[in-house]
Amino acid sequence: MWGKILGALFGLALFKLPGLVLGVLVGHYFDQWFQRKLGNWEGMQSVFGQDDEQALFMYSSFAAMGHIAKATGVVTKAHINQASHFMQQLGLNAQQKKEAQTAFRDGKAVNFPFRLQITEFYQRYKKRPDVLQLFLEIQLSIACVEGKVEQEQYQLLLQVADCLHISKNTLEQLLLAYQAQSRFQQNPGTVQEHAKSLIAAYQVLGCSPEVTEQELKRAYRKLMAQHHPDKLMAQGVPAAMLDVAKRRTQDIQAAYELIKQQRTKSH
C-alpha cells in the first residue's frame, strides 16, 4: 500500500499525471516485493484477532522456528513434534494452528529472508528488551530439541541475537540455562542425580554455587521480573505466547527453591 502511495506522490511531483500512473504501477510492484520479502502475516492478524504488531510476533516466531529447524538441511520428526507441541501448549484452535504451520513452512524455504524478518521484528519491539529476549528463548526451544545445537543452528541463533541487539555472551548464558532447564526438570533419584539437578538449578538462574545469598536473590528476582506474564502482555506479547513465560517462571521458582533447601541443610 505504502509503495503505491509514495510512488504516486513522487511520480506526480516529477512528471505530473503520467508520472502519477507510472508511480502507482511501480509502487504496486514494490508492495508485492516487500510483502514477499517480509512474509505475509495478515492471516495471523485475522485468525488471532490481534493488531499487526502481535500478528508479526506470532508469524516471526513460527517462521524463525521453521528456518532454524531446516538449518541442517532436514527437518526431523523431533523438530515437527516440538513445533506441534508448542502450538498445543499455546492452546491454538484449528485455524490458528493452520496459520502457525504456514508460517513454519515459510521459514523452511531456502530463500526465506531470515535476517530481514528478524530485523522487522526488532524495529517493532526494540524498546522492549524483555520481549526480545523471550523471542530468542522461543528459538532456543527448537534448536535444543534433540539435546544439542548443531553448528548451522547456532549460527542462526547468533544472527537472531545480532538482529535483536542481544550480546553473544547473553545468548551463551541463555543457551546454557535452557539446556540446564531440561536436566533440572528430571526428578532426582540418587545422590548423584540430585547433585546434577542442583548444578542445573544454578545454571537456570545463571549463577555459580559460590554466589552469596544476596546475589542469588537478586538473580532470581531479575529473572522473575523479566518473565512476568502481566509485564510481557503490557509490552505487546500475544496472550497465546504468555504460557512460555509462565512455564519459564515455574522452572525459575523451582530452581530457586531447590537451592534454598540445599543451602538451609548445609548450615
Side-chain angles (χ1 to χ4, degrees):
M1 176 182 176
W2 282 106
K4 288 191 281 291
I5 294 174
L6 294 175
L9 291 175
F10 281 117
L12 183 62
L14 294 175
F15 304 108
K16 301 194 186 257
L17 186 58
L20 173 65
V21 177
L22 180 62
V24 170
L25 182 61
V26 172
H28 172 69
Y29 284 111
F30 175 81
D31 284 337
Q32 288 187 324
W33 173 86
F34 192 71
Q35 186 178 55
R36 287 196 301 270
K37 279 291 184 182
L38 287 183
N40 181 10
W41 34 273
E42 291 180 356
M44 283 283 185
Q45 185 176 352
S46 62
V47 300
F48 283 95
Q50 300 164 331
D51 58 28
D52 61 345
E53 186 177 74
Q54 294 192 344
L56 175 64
F57 189 109
M58 296 294 290
Y59 180 86
S60 298
S61 295
F62 284 104
M65 288 175 71
H67 200 69
I68 291 173
K70 191 67 180 293
T72 58
V74 179
V75 177
T76 67
K77 185 176 180 180
H79 290 125
I80 295 174
N81 289 342
Q82 174 65 15
S84 299
H85 180 62
F86 189 52
M87 294 175 196
Q88 185 177 5
Q89 286 180 318
L90 296 178
L92 305 186
N93 61 38
Q95 187 59 34
Q96 291 171 338
K97 187 179 294 185
K98 183 178 178 181
E99 291 297 335
Q101 291 169 342
T102 297
F104 190 84
R105 283 195 299 271
D106 286 351
K108 291 193 300 180
V110 176
N111 61 345
F112 179 73
F114 187 68
R115 288 190 67 94
L116 192 60
Q117 187 71 45
I118 305 303
T119 300
E120 171 68 5
F121 177 84
Y122 171 75
Q123 291 300 323
R124 294 295 187 102
Y125 286 95
K126 61 184 177 181
K127 295 184 178 179
R128 289 162 276 187
D130 292 341
V131 178
L132 298 179
Q133 181 168 311
L134 177 64
F135 181 87
L136 179 57
E137 290 182 29
I138 290 171
Q139 303 316 313
L140 286 170
S141 72
I142 197 74
C144 297
V145 70
E146 293 187 304
K148 66 175 183 177
V149 179
E150 300 294 342
Q151 185 60 32
E152 297 90 342
Q153 295 173 326
Y154 180 71
Q155 291 302 319
L156 289 178
L157 290 174
L158 284 175
Q159 288 188 43
V160 174
D162 182 55
C163 291
L164 300 182
H165 294 232
I166 295 175
S167 70
K168 181 180 178 180
N169 184 52
T170 299
L171 170 62
E172 293 287 356
Q173 290 177 346
L174 288 172
L175 182 58
L176 183 64
Y178 195 91
Q179 292 172 328
Q181 189 170 305
S182 61
R183 295 194 300 270
F184 172 71
Q185 290 170 346
Q186 300 172 359
N187 294 323
T190 65
V191 174
Q192 184 179 10
E193 289 173 338
H194 177 78
K196 289 180 180 179
S197 293
L198 188 61
I199 293 173
Y202 277 106
Q203 292 174 335
V204 168
L205 298 182
C207 297
S208 69
E210 291 75 30
V211 295
T212 65
E213 292 294 331
Q214 186 176 8
E215 290 170 335
L216 179 67
K217 186 176 294 185
R218 187 184 303 120
Y220 163 72
R221 288 177 175 174
K222 180 181 178 181
L223 287 173
M224 290 295 285
Q226 285 178 337
H227 296 85
H228 197 286
D230 291 342
K231 179 181 179 181
L232 292 171
M233 177 175 281
Q235 293 184 356
V237 174
M241 286 290 187
L242 294 178
D243 188 57
V244 177
K246 290 177 182 177
R247 284 183 283 111
R248 182 85 166 98
T249 57
Q250 290 170 356
D251 288 328
I252 293 168
Q253 178 74 48
Y256 182 62
E257 292 298 329
L258 178 64
I259 293 171
K260 284 204 308 180
Q261 290 174 11
Q262 184 272 334
R263 289 195 168 198
T264 299
K265 291 179 181 178
S266 299
H267 290 133

